[in-house]
Amino acid sequence: MRRLALIATAAALCAGLTGFAALEHTSPAPLPSWASAPAADAAHTPTSIGNVIGRLQVRLRRQPADAAAWAQLGSAYVEQARLAVDPTLYPKAETALRRSLELRPDTNTVAQTGMAGLANARHQFIQSAVRDLMSG
């Protein structure tokens, strides 16, 4: 049993490192103009993330079937929770990410990566590593 735990831990670490390496070699998809991030020289703050969340919420009220916007909203909630040290935002993030995956179950790497980030934020490292492998 101990050997299995060691193998699982090693696999999770390798998967995490592979995921980080893959992230360095991919360019992030540009945000649409309605969800533009703060200026490159501006630090991410709870306020700037809050503005992005607000714009995404408005968009989703008008276009509730926008899988990409749901994925971005979920990831923004994870980031806001991280910056504000507020884990009560995790259920909102999960709901938004799951909605995105319902709308686009295949080839939805943004939502899958968001779910991996959420699992990581919740310290569910094995789940995070598995999601990283599935999205990459």
Side-chain angles (χ1 to χ4, degrees), residues 7 23 26 31 39 47-48 56 58 63 90 92 126:
I7 291 171
L23 287 175
T26 60
L31 285 173
T47 303
S48 67
L56 288 166
V58 167
Q63 295 183 351
Y90 294 156
K92 283 184 174 183
I126 298 296

Side-chain angles (χ1 to χ4, degrees), residues 1-11:
M1 189 66 173
R2 184 178 170 144
R3 178 180 242 163
L4 180 61
L6 275 172
I7 291 171
T9 302

Side-chain angles (χ1 to χ4, degrees), residues 86-98:
D86 184 3
T88 63
L89 294 170
Y90 294 156
K92 283 184 174 183
E94 184 171 2
T95 299
L97 292 165
R98 286 193 186 281

Side-chain angles (χ1 to χ4, degrees), residues 5 14 23-24 30 41 61 73 86 112 130:
C14 289
L23 287 175
E24 285 187 25
D41 59 339
R61 276 188 219 104
L73 179 62
D86 184 3
Q112 291 171 339
V130 169

Side-chain angles (χ1 to χ4, degrees), residues 76-124:
Y77 278 136
V78 172
E79 181 65 6
Q80 187 177 42
R82 183 187 71 79
L83 291 171
V85 190
D86 184 3
T88 63
L89 294 170
Y90 294 156
K92 283 184 174 183
E94 184 171 2
T95 299
L97 292 165
R98 286 193 186 281
R99 179 68 180 134
S100 177
L101 289 167
E102 287 171 8
L103 292 167
R104 189 185 311 146
D106 299 321
T107 67
N108 193 343
T109 56
V110 175
Q112 291 171 339
T113 302
M115 288 295 283
L118 176 60
N120 189 43
R122 289 176 165 167
H123 294 196
Q124 298 169 332

